[in-house]
Amino acid sequence: MRQAGNVVHQVLSRLGEMVAPGVTTGELDAEAERLTRDLGADALFKGVPGRGGPFPGTICISINEQVVHGLPSERVIRDGDIVSVDYGCRLDGYCGDAAMTFVAGEVSRDVRRLVSVTKRVLQIAVESATVGGRWSAVAREMQKYTESEGFSVVREFVGHGIGREMHEDPKVPNFVSRDLLNRDILLEEGLVIAVEPMVAMGRPDVRIEDDGWTVVTKDGKPSAHFEHTLAVTADGVRILTDGS
Ligand code: MG
């Protein structure tokens, strides 16, 4: 799974270098597709069935008020956009999944803070996850920090178990709910999860656009997304998608 994670890291790093005003989301998608092939992996998102038909891209690319599941297109990235890229692949039968939000050109101070806080929320998850611990304790820290910064945690979409398939049990929320407390996740050795905080600058409510895929904030305010695949091992919780 670390090898799949390394491919994910390489692809996201490359796309991060490319994100700039004037580049289209479709150009980023084409580069991800090419690199996936060159690295001998299979892209996971393309063809996933959904209300909007099979997902058409190698990456999900979501700009500004788009939260997740945005479609690559002819859309040109503009100065001041934040660009969330989510990518997953399978290599030798095992999956990796990660996401990053990149900044194009000059963005406002508030938006820059949204991106850095969301990145930090994922770091907090990594730092507070312990072998033998409970996920609710981690989710509580993620939620607490997000809300202390004046932002909100998107609730409709959450992380997930990952292994031979991209989406496996359990669902891994970025907030605490009665449901989570009733069915808490034990972080036992061997568990691998994709942790993916989605943080909204305004209200947490989202809706799906007419394309059947793109998730946007209802209030139109920006949102950011970071994700890593994490493995619970005898030596501690390890990030599989950071290229280490
Ligand atoms: Mg994921």
Side-chain angles (χ1 to χ4, degrees):
M1 291 194 74
R2 182 176 288 285
Q3 286 166 12
N6 282 340
V7 172
V8 172
H9 174 75
Q10 285 180 68
V11 169
L12 284 176
S13 300
R14 172 72 188 125
L15 300 186
E17 291 165 5
M18 288 177 69
V19 168
V23 175
T24 71
T25 60
E27 285 165 356
L28 294 169
D29 188 64
E31 177 66 4
E33 185 173 348
R34 185 193 68 74
L35 203 47
T36 303
R37 197 171 42 237
D38 283 0
L39 294 168
D42 295 312
L44 287 172
F45 298 174
K46 191 168 257 188
V48 167
R51 189 144 42 96
F55 191 79
T58 295
I59 55 172
C60 295
I61 186 158
S62 310
I63 297 179
N64 299 336
E65 80 286 358
Q66 299 175 345
V67 181
V68 285
H69 301 169
L71 312 182
S73 69
E74 297 300 301
R75 179 169 177 175
V76 177
I77 293 169
R78 293 181 183 284
D79 188 51
D81 282 345
I82 55 170
V83 181
S84 301
V85 179
D86 194 343
Y87 169 82
C89 74
R90 185 184 279 115
L91 183 70
D92 296 333
Y94 287 97
C95 299
D97 186 7
M100 296 182 79
T101 298
F102 303 108
V103 163
E106 289 294 312
V107 304
S108 72
R109 180 194 296 201
D110 269 4
V111 172
R112 205 170 336 121
R113 193 168 66 85
L114 172 72
V115 174
S116 63
V117 164
T118 310
K119 189 173 185 181
R120 178 78 189 126
V121 173
L122 180 55
Q123 274 172 3
I124 286 171
V126 174
E127 289 163 10
S128 44
T130 54
V131 185
R134 304 261 165 194
W135 179 256
S136 61
V138 180
R140 181 173 288 112
E141 294 303 315
M142 296 169 81
Q143 180 177 5
K144 194 170 78 181
Y145 176 67
T146 302
E147 293 173 353
S148 76
E149 290 289 331
F151 300 139
S152 52
V153 178
V154 172
R155 283 164 165 70
E156 266 96 328
F157 295 86
V158 297
H160 48 92
I162 179 168
R164 289 188 176 276
E165 301 299 327
M166 171 171 58
H167 290 135
E168 299 185 354
D169 284 338
K171 285 188 163 53
V172 183
N174 306 301
F175 58 96
V176 178
S177 65
R178 184 165 308 224
D179 194 45
L180 175 62
L181 293 172
N182 285 339
R183 287 185 303 174
D184 211 337
I185 303 161
L186 177 63
L187 300 174
E188 55 189 340
E189 192 184 331
L191 179 71
V192 186
I193 51 178
V195 177
E196 47 181 319
M198 288 149 248
V199 173
M201 182 175 278
R203 302 278 312 152
D205 313 271
V206 298
R207 64 179 175 80
I208 297 178
E209 299 255 79
D210 291 341
D211 62 22
W213 279 106
T214 311
V215 177
V216 296
T217 57
K218 274 191 186 167
D219 63 11
K221 292 190 178 168
S223 134
H225 179 210
F226 283 84
E227 176 178 20
H228 270 312
T229 298
L230 305 184
V232 183
T233 78
D235 299 326
V237 175
R238 295 284 178 263
I239 305 175
L240 300 185
T241 43
D242 66 354
S244 65

